[in-house]
Amino acid sequence: MGTSANQRFELRGVNHIALVCSDMARTVRFYRDVLGMPLVKTIELPNGAGQHFFFDMGNDDCLAFFWFTGAGPTQPGVSNAPGLPDAVDITTAHGSMNHLAFDVPLERFEEYRQRLIDAGVEVSMVLDHDDSEYQVAPEFHPGVFVRSFYFRDPDGILLEFAAWTREMGRPDDVAVLPVDADGNHVDV
């Protein structure tokens, strides 16, 4: 994705991301049967506490799910995004996971979107992300750095298929100062 390298740790990607589902069987049917991710490890948690399953999402990275016997219900807008970003405000609470983006090849992007539609999955419009004021271009152009569309899993977890259109990490790609908790831009 870019030429910058981590000089502190040899991080080789994501080992796994662990999310929580309300129905492990339904989750397996969606991630294995609709998205095609092989189920590679299943664990029954001790003392009847639940289950922990792992799906291969490519590049030796896994997407894992817990099913806890005593977990509370989803809270859209708090624990997860309340809908697709072309339809609603997708703001979520601090410490939540807003969405999970899967890297897909640009040349298969449209095909993959159609496959999900054909499988009955509701998908957002295609969003061509650029550096314009609203960060989405009305049509594809050379300034678009990633093409994406969004969809949700059976528990409402917001997912994205994203395809990079160019290398990232140019000086103009890292030109915004972060804000602190009070909303002030800070040079770090």
Side-chain angles (χ1 to χ4, degrees):
M1 176 165 68
T3 57
S4 60
N6 186 334
Q7 299 299 314
R8 294 179 186 257
F9 301 97
E10 183 185 344
L11 301 180
R12 299 177 294 177
V14 174
N15 181 282
H16 71 277
I17 296 167
L19 306 175
V20 179
C21 67
S22 64
D23 180 325
M24 190 63 83
R26 183 177 67 179
T27 296
V28 169
R29 287 190 295 271
F30 182 79
Y31 286 91
R32 183 194 63 201
D33 301 343
V34 175
L35 296 186
M37 293 182 188
L39 184 59
V40 295
K41 179 68 177 164
T42 61
I43 300 168
E44 197 75 39
L45 298 177
N47 303 316
Q51 297 183 318
H52 193 29
F53 282 26
F54 293 76
F55 299 86
D56 181 347
M57 62 178 176
N59 297 321
D60 295 324
D61 302 331
C62 284
L63 176 58
F65 282 89
F66 282 104
W67 172 78
F68 295 117
T69 55
T74 299
Q75 297 179 38
V78 178
S79 62
N80 62 307
L84 300 177
D86 61 346
V88 300
D89 177 359
I90 61 166
T91 301
T92 55
H94 298 151
S96 67
M97 186 197 78
N98 184 270
H99 70 278
L100 175 61
F102 299 105
D103 185 36
V104 298
L106 183 60
E107 64 274 7
R108 305 205 59 197
F109 178 80
E110 295 286 349
E111 171 194 345
Y112 289 177
R113 185 172 183 272
Q114 189 60 51
R115 280 190 193 179
L116 288 176
I117 292 168
D118 293 345
V121 176
E122 179 186 4
V123 300
S124 75
M125 61 189 271
V126 171
L127 299 173
D128 289 321
H129 302 273
D130 66 2
D131 291 321
S132 66
E133 180 181 0
Y134 295 106
Q135 301 166 2
V136 177
E139 59 187 44
F140 187 80
H141 64 86
V144 170
F145 58 89
V146 66
R147 300 194 83 198
S148 72
F149 66 87
Y150 297 81
F151 55 101
R152 295 163 57 115
D153 88 343
D155 278 303
I157 295 170
L158 187 59
L159 304 172
E160 176 184 15
F161 275 4
W164 297 112
T165 63
R166 64 171 175 81
E167 288 287 316
M168 301 295 284
R170 303 181 319 198
D172 61 327
D173 286 331
V174 189
V176 176
L177 291 175
V179 296
D180 64 15
D182 296 320
N184 301 309
H185 286 89
V186 179
D187 190 6
V188 292

